[in-house]
Amino acid sequence: MLKSKVADSMQYKEKAYQVQEEIRKTEEKLDLNVDREKLKAQEQLDAEEKRIKEEIRNAEEELKRRLGELEEGVRAKELLRKKDLEKKIKKLREEYELVCQEERREADSSSKKLREENKRETERLQEGLRFVNDEIRELLTSLETQKDEQARKNKELSDQFDKIVKRFETVTTTVDCIRAAQNDWADVQCIPNVCRAINLLSKDVKNGNTRLWNLSVVEVGGLSHSVTVRRKAGISKDVESVIDMWIVMGTQWRIMDITGNTDGSIAVIGRAKHSQTHLTVINMKGDLLQQKVITASNENWSKCSFLTQSQIAFICDGDKLGIYDMRDQSLKSVMLKDVITNWHSDQWVYSVTTDPANGNIIVGCDSRYVYVFNVQLKHIKTITLPAGIQGAHDIAMYEVGLLVCDIDSKQAFAVTVHGTASQVKYEFTSPTIEGGDWWPRRGCTDQNGYVYMLWMEGGDRSVIVRYSKDGGQIEMMREVDGNHNIQSMTSVQTNQGEKLLLYQSSQTQLLVYGLV
């Protein structure tokens, strides 16, 4: 049994050696297979690396090619755009040159017109200067003539007083002799004669003294030919100054109208108190110069206008027309119903203006009739306004005739006058400001003939419009800022130039605009 086991053991031992040999061979074979697979994998890696590098090179070449194509496309588009831009620039340059040429032609034309206007204005001023020089020479000649005449009168008066003095000395000598004689009979006989002589001499002295006061006075009239330098006027953008009327007017008095004078003074008119209207004159500082209270049963509507530097024409009380003279503070007035035969009882006076050159006063009312008076307040004629004008709610003198503001029709007109007839020369264009239903309240002119119109929208918005002198075209508009409730407007001459005044009723102030 043991022997059999030993024999089996030896067999298995032999097999174990064989397995070990097989294991060794298997390991050798594994190493060979691994080396072969490594070599194969390396060859595959090298081949794949070569392929991928080739693809990368091809991709780079494709990228370069496509980038080149893109660059060529960009350059081609840039070239096209450049050519298109050059065409456009050429066209714009041509258009620019055309515009410049047109502007140059317009500028040359305007320059030519300005030179022609300047030439005409220079010739006008030179002609005016010649007139002024001629008048000055005449005035100087008149002064010399008056001087000679006054000197002659002075010599006559001097000779007369020499004789009076000698007569006084004779009387004095006579009186001394009478006193020295101490003779009562001589006193009775001589004293009455001496007294009469003294009375006559005293009378001669008084008469001579009365004549003496004006022997140093010469009368020099003003120049009949006024040389005005015309300018292109405009309205200052902002209010230059404000004249506070509270100090002058108080809290109870009201202002209905204002008018400017050529010496810088301003007249205002309005309600004073029950059954009274005030006419007040101030300067540009707001200082009170004069004030007159006028009896008026209806004090709610009044207007005024300077007739001369010292006389103010006014209307009030429905149909009262008057003149106030600042020199002696006198006043004269008439009721229109008493001096106009065709005056209707339901008519109402609305406006007044003056024609200083002819010494006339022009009155407008709530109808087509305008009444003309002289300085004696005598009714001269009645002008009928053109059809379409319902009333002269405000009127002002103008180069061609009258400026008429018609509140009812919300229109303003320039009207020429021929005797008692009239016709519309042109209608003033209303303000071109959106959102407003504008109506004209007041019109005036400056010293150069430009027209200024105060237009209202409701009771709050106000705009000043300047028009040309040859057809009523709008040249400038200036809307008054804020809720000012402007009631009236006028121009006035000052030492600082011409000004435009607006009365602001909400603050009882005069707003001063410059005409620049």
Side-chain angles (χ1 to χ4, degrees):
M1 177 91 178
L2 180 59
K3 187 178 180 180
S4 174
K5 293 292 183 184
V6 171
D8 290 339
S9 171
M10 291 299 295
Q11 291 179 355
Y12 281 113
K13 181 178 177 182
E14 186 64 27
K15 286 182 180 182
Y17 286 134
Q18 291 178 353
V19 171
Q20 287 181 336
E21 184 63 23
E22 288 294 331
I23 289 171
R24 185 186 61 75
K25 290 180 179 180
T26 298
E27 289 178 351
E28 291 177 355
K29 188 177 180 179
L30 176 61
D31 291 336
L32 289 174
N33 286 338
V34 169
D35 291 339
R36 186 173 60 252
E37 291 299 325
K38 284 183 178 181
L39 181 60
K40 185 178 178 181
Q42 185 63 45
E43 291 175 351
Q44 289 178 350
L45 177 62
D46 292 342
E48 189 66 19
E49 183 179 5
K50 182 179 180 181
R51 182 185 66 78
I52 290 173
K53 287 182 178 180
E54 183 68 21
E55 288 184 0
I56 290 173
R57 185 170 59 256
N58 292 338
E60 289 176 349
E61 291 178 355
E62 178 67 13
L63 175 63
K64 184 177 179 181
R65 182 184 66 78
R66 295 186 68 177
L67 289 174
E69 290 177 352
L70 286 174
E71 185 65 24
E72 288 178 1
V74 169
R75 284 197 296 270
K77 289 179 180 179
E78 286 180 349
L79 182 61
L80 289 175
R81 282 194 296 270
K82 184 177 180 181
K83 290 180 178 179
D84 185 55
L85 179 61
E86 288 175 351
K87 289 179 181 179
K88 291 180 178 179
I89 291 173
K90 182 180 180 181
K91 185 178 179 180
L92 287 172
R93 185 175 288 109
E94 291 173 351
E95 292 176 354
Y96 171 77
E97 291 296 332
L98 289 174
V99 170
C100 289
Q101 291 173 8
E102 181 64 25
E103 289 180 345
R104 174 49 56 190
R105 281 194 294 270
E106 291 178 357
D108 291 341
S109 177
S110 299
S111 177
K112 183 179 178 181
K113 289 180 180 178
L114 287 173
R115 288 190 178 92
E116 291 173 352
E117 289 178 2
N118 179 261
K119 182 181 178 181
R120 288 193 297 269
E121 181 68 5
T122 301
E123 291 174 351
R124 185 188 69 82
L125 291 172
Q126 289 174 345
E127 182 67 17
L129 185 59
R130 284 192 290 273
F131 276 110
V132 170
N133 285 331
D134 291 342
E135 290 198 11
I136 289 295
R137 282 194 292 271
E138 291 178 2
L139 290 175
L140 292 175
T141 301
S142 174
L143 283 173
E144 289 299 324
T145 302
Q146 292 182 63
K147 177 184 176 183
D148 293 342
E149 179 63 19
Q150 296 292 61
R152 184 187 63 79
K153 292 180 180 179
N154 267 313
K155 180 65 170 59
E156 291 178 354
L157 188 61
S158 178
D159 293 342
Q160 180 183 344
F161 267 79
D162 286 343
K163 294 177 181 179
I164 290 173
V165 170
K166 289 180 179 179
R167 290 164 59 191
F168 264 116
E169 290 175 351
T170 300
V171 170
T172 302
T173 301
T174 302
V175 170
D176 290 342
C177 290
I178 293 171
R179 288 177 176 175
Q182 296 182 353
N183 187 323
D184 294 339
W185 176 250
D187 291 347
V188 172
Q189 292 295 320
C190 298
I191 288 177
N193 294 329
V194 170
C195 290
R196 280 193 297 270
I198 292 174
N199 289 336
L200 289 173
L201 288 173
S202 299
K203 185 177 181 181
D204 289 342
V205 171
K206 290 179 181 178
N207 291 336
N209 191 49
T210 302
R211 292 168 54 195
L212 181 63
W213 75 271
N214 63 351
L215 289 181
S216 62
V217 177
V218 291
E219 295 182 357
V220 181
L223 296 176
S224 63
H225 188 89
S226 176
V227 183
T228 303
V229 180
R230 296 190 178 100
R231 57 180 170 77
K232 283 289 184 180
I235 309 168
S236 62
K237 182 178 180 181
D238 301 314
V239 174
E240 289 187 348
S241 61
V242 174
I243 303 174
D244 192 351
M245 300 298 293
W246 282 110
I247 299 174
V248 177
M249 309 309 304
T251 59
Q252 300 300 320
W253 289 18
R254 295 291 181 265
I255 296 175
M256 292 297 300
D257 193 27
I258 59 175
T259 185
N261 203 350
T262 55
D263 64 355
S265 59
I266 309 158
V268 300
I269 191 170
R271 187 186 71 185
K273 55 183 179 180
H274 182 64
S275 298
Q276 288 185 342
T277 294
H278 73 87
L279 186 57
T280 302
V281 183
I282 62 172
N283 59 21
M284 288 296 294
K285 296 179 180 180
D287 300 326
L288 178 64
L289 302 180
Q290 287 192 26
Q291 196 165 66
K292 186 74 171 180
V293 175
I294 307 163
T295 301
S297 59
N298 190 324
E299 69 276 6
N300 291 324
W301 192 267
S302 51
K303 292 287 186 73
C304 62
S305 178
F306 274 99
L307 179 60
T308 66
Q309 274 197 356
S310 57
Q311 291 180 311
I312 307 169
F314 66 90
I315 58 168
C316 65
D317 206 15
D319 69 339
K320 178 182 285 188
L321 170 66
I323 297 176
Y324 173 67
D325 196 322
M326 295 191 295
R327 291 170 296 187
D328 57 4
Q329 299 188 21
S330 62
L331 184 147
K332 59 182 178 181
S333 63
V334 295
M335 302 303 290
L336 300 187
K337 62 184 177 182
D338 297 333
V339 296
I340 300 176
T341 55
N342 62 344
W343 182 264
H344 300 292
S345 59
D346 59 345
Q347 278 186 277
W348 193 267
V349 174
Y350 271 123
S351 54
V352 66
T353 190
T354 54
D355 180 8
N358 297 311
N360 291 336
I361 305 169
I362 304 167
V363 176
C365 59
D366 56 346
S367 71
R368 290 174 56 199
Y369 298 117
V370 172
Y371 304 97
V372 183
F373 296 81
N374 60 18
V375 292
Q376 287 76 37
L377 298 182
K378 180 181 178 181
H379 179 222
I380 300 174
K381 64 179 179 179
T382 300
I383 301 170
T384 303
L385 296 175
I389 299 180
Q390 301 178 40
H393 297 90
D394 184 75
I395 54 175
M397 289 300 299
Y398 185 39
E399 289 181 352
V400 301
L402 294 174
L403 301 178
V404 180
C405 294
D406 183 5
I407 296 177
D408 292 334
S409 66
K410 298 182 179 180
Q411 294 173 300
F413 305 90
V415 176
T416 57
V417 178
H418 308 282
T420 60
S422 63
Q423 64 180 26
V424 173
K425 184 174 180 64
Y426 49 81
E427 179 184 345
F428 291 97
T429 305
S430 61
T432 56
I433 299 177
E434 296 182 358
D437 184 17
W438 299 96
W439 52 273
R441 186 178 194 107
R442 189 70 188 268
C444 66
T445 60
D446 64 12
Q447 63 178 350
N448 296 314
Y450 288 97
V451 177
Y452 299 84
M453 196 75 67
L454 174 63
W455 292 82
M456 308 292 294
E457 192 278 322
D460 299 333
R461 293 181 69 190
S462 307
V463 62
I464 312 168
V465 181
R466 193 194 81 174
Y467 296 90
S468 62
K469 297 185 290 184
D470 55 356
Q473 301 300 314
I474 292 178
E475 291 192 350
M476 179 180 291
M477 290 190 297
R478 180 78 69 238
E479 187 165 6
V480 182
D481 295 333
N483 179 6
H484 290 301
N485 194 15
I486 305 300
Q487 295 292 322
S488 186
M489 177 182 71
T490 189
S491 59
V492 61
Q493 297 286 344
T494 72
N495 294 331
Q496 289 76 40
E498 196 167 14
K499 305 296 181 182
L500 198 65
L501 305 182
L502 278 71
Y503 172 58
Q504 176 190 355
S505 62
S506 59
Q507 299 296 324
T508 317
Q509 293 177 333
L510 293 180
L511 308 179
V512 182
Y513 285 86
L515 296 182
V516 294

